[in-house]
Amino acid sequence: MNNTSIATRRELLHRGLTMVGAASTVPAFLQRTALAVAPEEGAMLRSRPGVPDERVLVIVQMAGGNDGLNTVVPFANDLYYEHRPRLAIDRNDVLKINDRYGFHPVMSGFRELYDDGLLSVVEGVGYPNPNRSHFKSMDVWHTASPDGREHTGWIGRYFDNACGGEDACDPKTGVAVMKEAPLAMRGKAYQPVAFQRPDALSWNGAQAIKGRGRNRRQMRSGAPTEEVFASLNEPMADHEAMDEVDFLRRTAMDARLSAADIQKAARMNSNAEYPGNPLAGALQTVARMIHAEMPTRIYYVSQGGYDTHSGQLNRHQQLLTQFSGAVKSFVDDLNASGHLDRVTIMTFSEFGRRVSENASAGTDHGEAAPMFVIGKHIQPGFHGKACSLEHDKLHRGDLAWTTDFRRVYGSVLKDWMGADVPAILGKNVDSLKLFAKV
């Protein structure tokens, strides 16, 4: 294999790849190459608490369209109760945070975060010409492109921009704790690591994954996922092009060595207690990786189920119980370990729900909804402008958006990640003042 067939020594040193704990099934050429270029033990570049250039962003997606009105409840507004005779949260049950708003009764964790000055609420977030389709709206949020001109993710473009030049980004700089990396994290050059369970990132030559060609195409256009990790050991036909062989081998080595670091971090012991739900489990994995000082800059997790067209009260209560408990446990864990100072958490959903309840005791797809930003360096309280519940100020029966979501992205990118906003969002957006001086 010539010198261009494998990653360069500079790239591998930059990425901090080692073969610690490599399985016996790792192809010999990978093991020889990695051992030859691995840095000395302890020499890998790691994130360090308090270093501004290595701040961490954790994104929590509330998939399905969260009902913002029953999450941040406008209990002082009689129109809220007029629109929702069955679904409205009783004034006496709301966890009040000021004279206008309160959290859903099960969100005691968020109430504590708010009282501790760690939580900001961004009101009325949406985008121009809103679309009620899950797929279309999610594409808009992921690409940060309401006009559909961008086809890469806003986080992927952040990494493309931040990691340009001779040395490529470490694959672990972006991690999605889910089966497949979301579009938001996919750039032109950069692709993150994605997994649901760290132990699934393993090399097992005996595992046969059907559709190997699909997995190879996925690696060219997407992130390394559990299926890709498992299928890379399969032999390749002689007729396949050599450039594809070289590409797969380079990707295979990056993927295998990234997996070793991730698995080692995920096995770290912690005394922190988390609720027993999938979102909490994903955030606990993220917390362990942060404790291990992985070089990851952005983590992405998701909680589904918010498409509450019918029987909303009990289902939404269950979802918000899991959501609030998981995020509060995550924040407490990071605070106890001394890492919260360098972590910001941002939540979003693709849209809110209709203002009025439907005949099935649920709510249909809407438009504007609140976002949450959490951390030690945020400006706590409410940001943006409240949506009106007046009948003549609704848009198609929905809350009319008042805050463009790109203003939130712009604030996070500029004031927390130190990024070039126009290079990522395509224009210099008027960002919100979500952060104190950091």
Side-chain angles (χ1 to χ4, degrees):
M1 193 179 300
N2 60 37
N3 290 337
T4 61
S5 298
I6 60 172
T8 66
R9 184 176 189 277
R10 175 191 292 270
E11 287 172 337
L12 287 166
L13 287 174
H14 175 73
R15 297 176 185 184
L17 303 178
T18 67
M19 284 297 292
V20 176
S24 60
T25 54
V26 175
F29 81 89
L30 288 179
Q31 186 169 6
R32 288 195 301 270
T33 304
L35 289 175
V37 301
E40 296 180 2
E41 183 178 358
M44 289 191 295
L45 177 64
R46 295 295 191 190
S47 300
R48 293 163 294 168
V51 178
D53 288 344
E54 295 181 3
R55 292 177 182 142
V56 174
L57 175 65
V58 179
I59 298 172
V60 181
Q61 175 180 329
M62 305 169 78
N66 177 47
D67 181 14
L69 282 175
N70 277 19
T71 301
V72 182
V73 183
F75 68 89
N77 194 326
D78 291 337
L79 287 172
Y80 166 67
Y81 295 95
E82 179 184 319
H83 285 293
R84 298 184 169 199
R86 290 177 296 173
L87 292 185
I89 307 299
D90 192 282
R91 285 187 176 93
N92 296 322
D93 296 332
V94 172
L95 300 177
K96 297 179 178 64
I97 51 181
N98 58 33
D99 59 0
R100 295 188 303 151
Y101 293 111
F103 290 121
H104 189 286
V106 300
M107 298 181 68
S108 58
F110 266 51
R111 166 69 182 270
E112 290 181 40
L113 293 175
Y114 189 91
D115 290 344
D116 291 341
L118 297 174
L119 173 66
S120 64
V121 181
V122 186
E123 299 188 86
V125 184
Y127 59 87
N129 301 314
N131 192 297
R132 289 178 179 154
S133 162
H134 289 292
F135 304 104
K136 176 61 178 177
S137 192
M138 194 62 73
D139 280 349
V140 170
W141 279 85
H142 281 223
T143 62
S145 177
D147 58 13
R149 293 181 181 179
E150 291 287 352
H151 302 288
T152 56
W154 70 280
I155 301 169
R157 296 196 298 275
Y158 161 75
F159 283 121
D160 282 345
N161 186 65
C163 304
E166 182 178 353
D167 291 331
C169 261
D170 183 331
K172 300 183 297 298
T173 50
V175 170
V177 186
M178 48 202 301
K179 184 175 181 181
E180 185 175 347
L183 172 60
M185 301 188 79
R186 299 175 185 269
K188 289 183 179 179
Y190 178 77
Q191 304 298 337
V193 172
F195 62 88
Q196 286 182 301
R197 296 175 295 108
D199 58 1
L201 297 176
S202 61
W203 286 84
N204 187 345
Q207 292 180 354
I209 302 296
K210 294 182 180 180
R212 187 182 65 192
R214 178 184 63 81
N215 287 333
R216 290 176 185 163
R217 289 193 299 272
Q218 181 184 0
M219 283 195 300
R220 287 194 179 277
S221 61
T225 65
E226 294 169 12
E227 288 187 353
V228 172
F229 275 107
S231 66
L232 286 173
N233 264 3
E234 298 177 27
M236 304 183 77
D238 291 340
H239 68 272
E240 292 182 279
M242 196 62 196
D243 64 337
E244 181 171 300
V245 176
D246 293 342
F247 172 82
L248 289 175
R249 286 175 175 170
R250 291 196 301 273
T251 305
M253 183 162 59
D254 287 351
R256 174 61 187 89
L257 299 176
S258 293
D261 279 352
I262 291 169
Q263 289 168 335
K264 183 178 180 181
R267 287 193 294 266
M268 292 186 65
N269 292 325
S270 171
N271 295 323
E273 295 185 2
Y274 283 77
N277 63 71
L279 176 62
L283 287 174
Q284 186 173 35
T285 297
V286 171
R288 287 173 174 169
M289 296 176 69
I290 292 173
H291 295 164
E293 300 184 359
M294 296 282 288
T296 309
R297 299 292 307 279
I298 298 178
Y299 294 94
Y300 195 110
V301 300
S302 181
Q303 177 196 25
Y306 284 96
D307 198 17
T308 51
H309 288 280
S310 62
Q312 176 176 305
L313 274 179
N314 290 336
R315 179 58 179 156
H316 197 231
Q317 176 175 307
Q318 179 186 31
L319 289 165
L320 291 181
T321 298
Q322 296 174 358
F323 171 72
S324 177
V327 173
K328 180 60 163 61
S329 295
F330 179 63
V331 172
D332 289 346
D333 190 358
L334 294 179
N335 203 22
S337 67
H339 287 276
L340 185 59
D341 193 61
R342 67 186 185 101
V343 176
T344 288
I345 304 153
M346 183 187 80
T347 78
F348 82 98
S349 192
E350 66 263 38
F351 43 61
R353 315 297 295 185
R354 298 275 182 89
V355 173
S356 296
E357 62 187 52
N358 61 28
S360 300
T363 51
D364 297 321
H365 299 177
E367 296 178 13
M371 293 178 68
F372 300 115
V373 183
I374 303 165
K376 281 193 172 182
H377 297 286
I378 56 95
Q379 295 277 15
F382 281 73
H383 298 264
K385 180 182 178 182
C387 298
S388 175
L389 287 170
E390 297 288 342
H391 292 272
D392 61 348
K393 294 184 179 178
L394 299 180
H395 182 248
R396 305 183 301 178
D398 300 328
L399 294 174
W401 66 274
T402 58
T403 303
D404 191 311
F405 74 106
R406 289 167 293 184
R407 297 185 66 195
V408 183
Y409 286 2
S411 181
V412 170
L413 287 167
K414 176 184 176 182
D415 298 327
W416 184 247
M417 304 302 288
D420 181 356
V421 174
I424 299 165
L425 300 184
K427 63 179 182 179
N428 193 11
V429 300
D430 179 22
S431 62
L432 297 170
K433 304 299 182 184
L434 295 177
F435 293 89
K437 187 176 181 180
V438 290

